[in-house]
Amino acid sequence: MKLSLRLKSIANLVDSNDVVADIGCDHAYLDIYLVMNNIVPKTLACDINRKALDMGINNIKKYGLEDKIATKLCDGITGISKDINTLIISGMGTSTIIKILSNDNVKNINKVITQSNNDYYELRKYMVNNGFYISYEESIFDKDKYYINMVFLRGNKNYSSKELRFGTMMFNKDYYEHMVNKYKYIYSHIPKMKLIKRLTLKLDIKYLEKYINN
């Protein structure tokens, strides 16, 4: 099975000892890829949407993987089994991811792989404040859009505000050039009387440009 670059980048973050639940599995393509390529022996594909899960079930049957990919209609991680130690949560916003992870079942989770659509600072801050540290980050450019992958592992580390805002592992320079251009556009549209907001954004631009030019 051929995956999009976005999904394949997530698959590359899964280890052989991960017992995976794919939350919001949609068509279950990621689960099928993980099992067919012997990255993990089994997965649990979950979705809150009955129609989406049914499409995933049909795809799993198409590849004859019913005995290796279990499915569950559920809201987030509600009702996942205790043997699950790794969550994959992608294709949704940070507020939804945080809501999913606020469930008590997260206590059995040692690893969370996310690909959020927005608010990376809020996601990092939430995870760090709730017993995880940032193990790995990367930017992926697929179909004219950047995606940020993050891997959180159980444990504690301290981070600066800059690290929480821009990442602990600097991404590729193309991504930061993209961010600088975005910030400059926003800066140009901020009313001059909003001095603090303009100053904060100007400092962010300077911080990123320093990295780009090194």
Side-chain angles (χ1 to χ4, degrees):
M1 167 179 282
K2 186 176 181 180
L3 283 184
S4 66
L5 180 60
R6 178 183 75 84
L7 286 179
K8 191 171 183 181
S9 69
I10 298 174
N12 291 338
L13 301 175
V14 177
D15 298 317
S16 59
N17 60 341
D18 293 339
V19 185
V20 173
D22 179 13
I23 309 302
C25 66
D26 200 15
H27 294 71
Y29 292 143
L30 179 58
D31 301 87
I32 294 167
Y33 181 90
L34 289 172
V35 172
M36 286 187 66
N37 288 275
N38 298 312
I39 297 172
V40 291
K42 64 178 182 178
T43 69
L44 172 62
C46 305
D47 208 294
I48 193 173
N49 186 298
R50 175 82 262 179
K51 186 176 180 180
L53 188 63
D54 284 344
M55 287 190 288
I57 291 171
N58 288 337
N59 288 328
I60 292 166
K61 289 179 178 178
K62 177 181 175 182
Y63 288 93
L65 297 174
E66 300 97 315
D67 60 331
K68 295 182 178 180
I69 304 175
T71 59
K72 189 173 185 65
L73 181 69
C74 62
D75 183 0
I77 60 175
T78 302
I80 64 171
S81 56
K82 291 183 178 180
D83 65 320
I84 299 293
N85 62 26
T86 300
L87 301 177
I88 297 175
I89 313 177
S90 66
M92 58 190 79
T94 284
S95 61
T96 303
I97 293 174
I98 289 175
K99 182 181 177 182
I100 289 170
L101 294 174
S102 65
N103 188 287
D104 285 344
N105 285 333
V106 78
K107 66 180 180 291
N108 299 314
I109 303 302
N110 295 318
K111 179 177 179 180
V112 181
I113 301 170
T114 66
Q115 193 180 81
S116 173
N117 294 332
N118 54 26
D119 297 334
Y120 308 121
Y121 166 73
E122 293 297 333
L123 180 56
R124 293 187 189 99
K125 185 173 71 171
Y126 177 84
M127 295 301 289
V128 168
N129 288 339
N130 285 274
F132 290 86
Y133 69 92
I134 305 163
S135 172
Y136 181 74
E137 297 179 313
E138 64 180 352
S139 60
I140 302 296
F141 189 69
D142 186 21
K143 296 180 180 178
D144 299 320
K145 184 177 179 180
Y146 279 101
Y147 298 88
I148 304 300
N149 293 339
M150 301 183 192
V151 180
F152 299 96
L153 297 180
R154 182 70 65 180
N156 296 287
K157 285 187 180 180
N158 294 321
Y159 299 97
S160 68
S161 61
K162 291 290 187 186
E163 287 175 320
L164 292 177
R165 291 177 68 194
F166 298 112
T168 61
M169 304 168 192
M170 298 300 280
F171 306 127
N172 62 64
K173 291 187 177 183
D174 287 342
Y175 172 74
Y176 282 109
E177 286 174 353
H178 161 75
M179 291 303 298
V180 165
N181 291 332
K182 179 180 178 180
Y183 285 174
K184 284 182 176 179
Y185 176 82
I186 295 171
Y187 181 85
S188 69
H189 288 77
I190 297 175
K192 290 186 178 180
M193 70 281 295
K194 294 189 176 182
L195 297 177
I196 295 177
K197 191 171 183 179
R198 286 173 64 86
L199 177 60
T200 299
L201 204 54
K202 196 169 185 178
L203 290 173
D204 288 344
I205 292 169
K206 186 176 180 180
Y207 175 79
L208 294 176
E209 286 183 331
K210 182 179 179 181
Y211 166 74
I212 292 168
N213 294 323
N214 281 344

